[in-house]
Tab-separated table of all heavy atoms in Angstrom:
chain	number	residue	atom	x	y	z
H	231	ALA	N	-37.400	-30.491	34.068
H	231	ALA	CA	-38.140	-30.887	35.268
H	231	ALA	C	-39.498	-30.197	35.320
H	231	ALA	O	-40.500	-30.809	35.704
H	231	ALA	CB	-37.329	-30.546	36.519
H	232	LEU	N	-39.562	-28.921	34.918
H	232	LEU	CA	-40.843	-28.218	34.915
H	232	LEU	C	-41.837	-28.895	33.973
H	232	LEU	O	-43.032	-28.976	34.263
H	232	LEU	CB	-40.642	-26.758	34.508
H	232	LEU	CG	-39.820	-25.892	35.467
H	232	LEU	CD1	-39.761	-24.456	34.962
H	232	LEU	CD2	-40.383	-25.934	36.884
H	233	VAL	N	-41.354	-29.392	32.836
H	233	VAL	CA	-42.234	-30.104	31.906
H	233	VAL	C	-42.847	-31.322	32.587
H	233	VAL	O	-44.052	-31.572	32.479
H	233	VAL	CB	-41.453	-30.518	30.642
H	233	VAL	CG1	-42.273	-31.496	29.798
H	233	VAL	CG2	-41.081	-29.294	29.819
H	234	LEU	N	-42.021	-32.091	33.299
H	234	LEU	CA	-42.533	-33.300	33.944
H	234	LEU	C	-43.391	-32.983	35.171
H	234	LEU	O	-44.153	-33.834	35.619
H	234	LEU	CB	-41.372	-34.223	34.317
H	234	LEU	CG	-40.558	-34.739	33.121
H	234	LEU	CD1	-39.531	-35.761	33.564
H	234	LEU	CD2	-41.465	-35.342	32.050
H	235	HIS	N	-43.265	-31.764	35.694
H	235	HIS	CA	-44.177	-31.298	36.748
H	235	HIS	C	-45.457	-30.711	36.142
H	235	HIS	O	-46.306	-30.208	36.882
H	235	HIS	CB	-43.504	-30.238	37.615
H	235	HIS	CG	-42.540	-30.789	38.622
H	235	HIS	ND1	-42.935	-31.593	39.672
H	235	HIS	CD2	-41.186	-30.649	38.738
H	235	HIS	CE1	-41.878	-31.918	40.404
H	235	HIS	NE2	-40.807	-31.371	39.858
H	236	ASP	N	-45.574	-30.739	34.813
H	236	ASP	CA	-46.764	-30.247	34.102
H	236	ASP	C	-46.927	-28.738	34.236
H	236	ASP	O	-48.049	-28.218	34.293
H	236	ASP	CB	-48.029	-30.963	34.576
H	236	ASP	CG	-49.214	-30.751	33.635
H	236	ASP	OD1	-48.971	-30.595	32.431
H	236	ASP	OD2	-50.363	-30.721	34.114
H	237	VAL	N	-45.816	-28.016	34.269
H	237	VAL	CA	-45.859	-26.557	34.337
H	237	VAL	C	-46.026	-25.998	32.933
H	237	VAL	O	-45.364	-26.443	31.990
H	237	VAL	CB	-44.572	-26.003	34.980
H	237	VAL	CG1	-44.548	-24.474	34.916
H	237	VAL	CG2	-44.467	-26.473	36.433
H	238	GLN	N	-46.907	-25.013	32.788
H	238	GLN	CA	-47.130	-24.354	31.509
H	238	GLN	C	-46.413	-23.014	31.464
H	238	GLN	O	-46.092	-22.437	32.496
H	238	GLN	CB	-48.630	-24.162	31.277
H	238	GLN	CG	-49.413	-25.462	31.229
H	238	GLN	CD	-50.909	-25.242	31.134
H	238	GLN	OE1	-51.381	-24.114	30.985
H	238	GLN	NE2	-51.674	-26.316	31.240
H	239	GLY	N	-46.181	-22.526	30.244
H	239	GLY	CA	-45.580	-21.206	30.082
H	239	GLY	C	-44.183	-21.213	29.519
H	239	GLY	O	-43.625	-20.153	29.233
H	240	LEU	N	-43.567	-22.391	29.351
H	240	LEU	CA	-42.215	-22.459	28.801
H	240	LEU	C	-42.228	-22.097	27.322
H	240	LEU	O	-43.198	-22.385	26.615
H	240	LEU	CB	-41.638	-23.862	28.973
H	240	LEU	CG	-41.352	-24.300	30.405
H	240	LEU	CD1	-41.064	-25.797	30.454
H	240	LEU	CD2	-40.171	-23.514	30.975
H	241	PRO	N	-41.156	-21.492	26.810
H	241	PRO	CA	-41.100	-21.215	25.370
H	241	PRO	C	-40.979	-22.508	24.580
H	241	PRO	O	-40.505	-23.531	25.096
H	241	PRO	CB	-39.837	-20.353	25.235
H	241	PRO	CG	-38.992	-20.724	26.407
H	241	PRO	CD	-39.953	-21.036	27.524
H	242	ALA	N	-41.400	-22.471	23.325
H	242	ALA	CA	-41.381	-23.681	22.499
H	242	ALA	C	-39.967	-24.186	22.272
H	242	ALA	O	-39.755	-25.392	22.092
H	242	ALA	CB	-42.068	-23.408	21.167
H	243	ASP	N	-38.980	-23.301	22.295
H	243	ASP	CA	-37.596	-23.704	21.986
H	243	ASP	C	-36.719	-23.811	23.232
H	243	ASP	O	-35.511	-23.619	23.160
H	243	ASP	CB	-36.975	-22.713	21.007
H	243	ASP	CG	-36.933	-21.285	21.569
H	243	ASP	OD1	-37.577	-21.040	22.610
H	243	ASP	OD2	-36.281	-20.422	20.951
Side-chain angles (χ1 to χ4, degrees):
L232 295 183
V233 169
L234 297 186
H235 282 295
D236 195 31
V237 174
Q238 299 174 6
L240 292 168
D243 60 348

